[in-house]
Amino acid sequence: MAASVLFHFPFDPGSRTARLALGEARVEFTETVVRPWEADCPVGDLNPSGMPPVLQTAEAGRSLTLCEPAAILGWLEDRSAEAFLMPVDPAERAETRRLVSWFDRRFNDEVNAVLLHERMEKPLLRLGPPEARALRSGREALKAHLTMLECLLTTRDALAGRRLSQADMVAAGHLSVLDYFGEITWTAYPGLRTWYMKLKSRPCFRPLLTDRFPGVAASGHYADLDF
Amino acid sequence: MAASVLFHFPFDPGSRTARLALGEARVEFTETVVRPWEADCPVGDLNPSGMPPVLQTAEAGRSLTLCEPAAILGWLEDRSAEAFLMPVDPAERAETRRLVSWFDRRFNDEVNAVLLHERMEKPLLRLGPPEARALRSGREALKAHLTMLECLLTTRDALAGRRLSQADMVAAGHLSVLDYFGEITWTAYPGLRTWYMKLKSRPCFRPLLTDRFPGVAASGHYADLDF
């Protein structure tokens, strides 16, 4: 198989989803770390949204450019002989898709656009110090989302049902960034904590645990497999 | 096959995407029109996001609840023996998924959250008159999106390539709502206009053309197949 290149920004939740899913699929790839807010970011020529992740690969002798997490997750499913990160049961498939949509819209709008904006985008883009009110509102929203995930995991091993799915990759992409910044009080969510510990100990997670954000040390337990 | 029920709000772009795709698939369903902003909306008990569309159906004797457009589109693809609204070519599949993500995130954030908020949500929720500055900003954003779609259609018959895909259903769901409110100057986008005329003349589109928004007449050409 031809070499694949993943263009990603290590603290972009969608880029992390792509790295986790590619790791689960044992797809070998080289990495190009990009800074999507800079004018000469190479992703600008590959993806009209200007955003990572983008995977450049080849199939049947033709080059193939996969833009956005959905295209990468879908391609991994398509190329697999068995169901890959997508349950077989129709109800679990529907639940996987519902949860992926939930993170794409609700979690992004209510948590990332507020909390990650204050803690990550502002220092990167030199937009000044975080605002206390925005931090508070993002943290309140995050609590509601974590409680919702905790409820799901009282009756399920994985987010959408019995087995790992795209929903777990998407959720882990998001939560791992917030965990780096120390935004998750795991003791309040024991079921979610067990789920996250299991995911974190999978080989696909290892590369993420060595990421470092300039000027911000990882939360104390970020790289601990047992926290 | 057991009867299916679609819970939808006629002017929600995602609900329209579901109606168009179900129509294309010739799935028979009864409709329950909902008002998601009201406390007793039945969708609140079916979808944690509280939002339509939701399709209640049955498969192999089990009831199946499909929440969000992604779950409905995915289910239609799963149950079809041949590729349904999803191209066979890997590059076109990736492009379909990229465009669906584009509408879910960019179009929703830059156009709907501004322009549909002013023109649709404000009257429905009695939030006062539209603000001129917001209307202007939403319209500027819409122009950029329409230009992008026009560019794609200079070399393609459908948005993601040669054949109709989920991307066309999603785009038509969004654009048809904006067209009702007279927000699209079709003469400026001849390729997009031809694409929309072709879609509009398909049987799946017919039910949408009879929708009426309280207090706002449809734009003059809204229901014309040749405009």
Side-chain angles (χ1 to χ4, degrees):
Chain A
M1 179 169 159
S4 302
V5 184
L6 180 71
F7 296 81
H8 73 97
F9 173 62
F11 288 87
D12 163 46
S15 291
R16 288 191 159 211
T17 296
R19 288 160 79 196
L20 290 171
L22 289 164
E24 279 293 316
R26 296 196 175 80
V27 170
E28 287 191 24
F29 59 92
T30 56
E31 296 176 50
T32 300
V33 169
V34 296
R35 297 164 62 85
W37 60 92
E38 291 185 345
D40 61 351
C41 173
V43 163
D45 295 331
L46 299 169
N47 186 359
S49 79
M51 287 298 292
V54 174
L55 184 74
Q56 278 199 313
T57 184
E59 208 167 81
R62 282 170 60 200
S63 74
L64 185 59
T65 303
L66 304 160
C67 301
E68 308 294 335
I72 296 172
L73 290 168
W75 174 73
L76 289 174
E77 194 195 344
D78 292 343
R79 68 196 280 282
S80 167
E82 291 166 28
F84 180 74
L85 293 178
M86 187 51 94
V88 174
D89 177 69
E92 289 191 18
R93 291 174 82 83
E95 183 66 347
T96 300
R97 290 165 177 146
R98 178 187 80 77
L99 283 164
V100 170
S101 294
W102 177 281
F103 276 93
D104 276 357
R105 299 293 316 278
R106 296 288 284 257
F107 199 92
N108 259 320
D109 287 356
E110 295 171 11
V111 181
N112 296 356
V114 187
L115 199 47
L116 286 188
H117 174 71
E118 295 294 328
R119 298 227 42 200
M120 188 168 82
E121 290 174 7
K122 277 188 163 181
L124 287 173
L125 302 172
R126 299 175 199 281
L127 297 176
E131 279 169 37
R133 211 172 64 169
L135 286 175
R136 215 162 32 234
S137 133
R139 284 170 182 154
E140 279 308 305
L142 174 60
K143 272 189 206 167
H145 284 271
L146 296 175
T147 302
M148 185 276 290
L149 296 173
E150 178 74 13
C151 285
L152 293 181
L153 290 164
T154 54
T155 55
R156 301 176 184 178
D157 295 325
L159 279 182
R162 285 159 294 184
R163 285 176 53 198
L164 275 193
S165 75
Q166 294 182 357
D168 300 284
M169 301 293 117
V170 170
H174 284 269
L175 298 191
S176 63
V177 174
L178 291 160
D179 188 43
Y180 182 96
F181 288 98
E183 292 290 349
I184 303 181
T185 310
W186 292 103
T187 48
Y189 312 97
L192 190 61
R193 182 167 164 270
T194 303
W195 165 86
Y196 192 62
M197 258 171 62
K198 275 193 238 160
L199 267 177
K200 217 165 141 175
S201 63
R202 295 178 80 86
C204 70
F205 226 105
R206 238 168 266 154
L208 278 63
L209 301 180
T210 62
D211 290 338
R212 290 296 170 262
F213 190 86
V216 181
S219 63
H221 54 265
Y222 176 71
D224 282 357
L225 296 187
D226 192 10
F227 58 102
Chain B
M1 178 163 165
S4 302
V5 184
L6 180 71
F7 296 81
H8 73 97
F9 173 62
F11 289 86
D12 163 46
S15 291
R16 289 191 160 213
T17 296
R19 288 159 80 197
L20 291 171
L22 290 164
E24 279 293 317
R26 295 196 176 80
V27 170
E28 287 191 25
F29 60 91
T30 57
E31 296 177 50
T32 299
V33 169
V34 297
R35 298 165 61 86
W37 60 95
E38 292 185 345
D40 61 352
C41 173
V43 163
D45 295 330
L46 299 169
N47 186 359
S49 79
M51 287 297 293
V54 174
L55 184 75
Q56 279 199 313
T57 185
E59 209 168 79
R62 282 170 61 201
S63 74
L64 184 60
T65 303
L66 305 160
C67 301
E68 307 295 333
I72 297 171
L73 291 168
W75 174 73
L76 289 175
E77 194 195 344
D78 292 344
R79 69 196 280 282
S80 167
E82 290 166 28
F84 180 73
L85 293 179
M86 188 50 96
V88 174
D89 177 70
E92 289 191 17
R93 291 174 84 83
E95 182 67 346
T96 300
R97 291 165 176 146
R98 177 187 80 76
L99 283 164
V100 171
S101 295
W102 177 281
F103 276 93
D104 275 357
R105 299 293 317 278
R106 296 288 285 256
F107 199 91
N108 259 320
D109 288 355
E110 295 171 11
V111 182
N112 295 356
V114 187
L115 199 46
L116 286 189
H117 175 71
E118 295 294 329
R119 299 230 39 203
M120 189 168 82
E121 289 174 8
K122 277 188 163 181
L124 287 173
L125 303 171
R126 300 175 198 281
L127 298 175
E131 279 169 37
R133 211 172 65 169
L135 287 175
R136 215 163 31 235
S137 133
R139 284 170 182 154
E140 279 307 306
L142 174 59
K143 272 188 206 167
H145 284 270
L146 296 175
T147 302
M148 183 275 288
L149 296 173
E150 178 74 14
C151 285
L152 293 181
L153 289 165
T154 55
T155 55
R156 301 175 184 178
D157 294 326
L159 278 182
R162 284 160 295 184
R163 284 175 54 199
L164 276 194
S165 76
Q166 295 184 356
D168 300 284
M169 300 294 116
V170 170
H174 285 269
L175 297 190
S176 64
V177 175
L178 292 160
D179 188 42
Y180 182 94
F181 289 99
E183 291 290 350
I184 304 182
T185 310
W186 291 104
T187 48
Y189 312 97
L192 190 62
R193 182 167 164 271
T194 303
W195 166 86
Y196 192 62
M197 260 171 59
K198 276 194 237 158
L199 267 178
K200 218 165 141 175
S201 63
R202 295 177 81 85
C204 71
F205 225 104
R206 240 169 264 154
L208 278 63
L209 301 181
T210 62
D211 291 338
R212 290 296 171 262
F213 190 86
V216 182
S219 62
H221 55 265
Y222 176 71
D224 282 357
L225 296 187
D226 191 10
F227 58 101

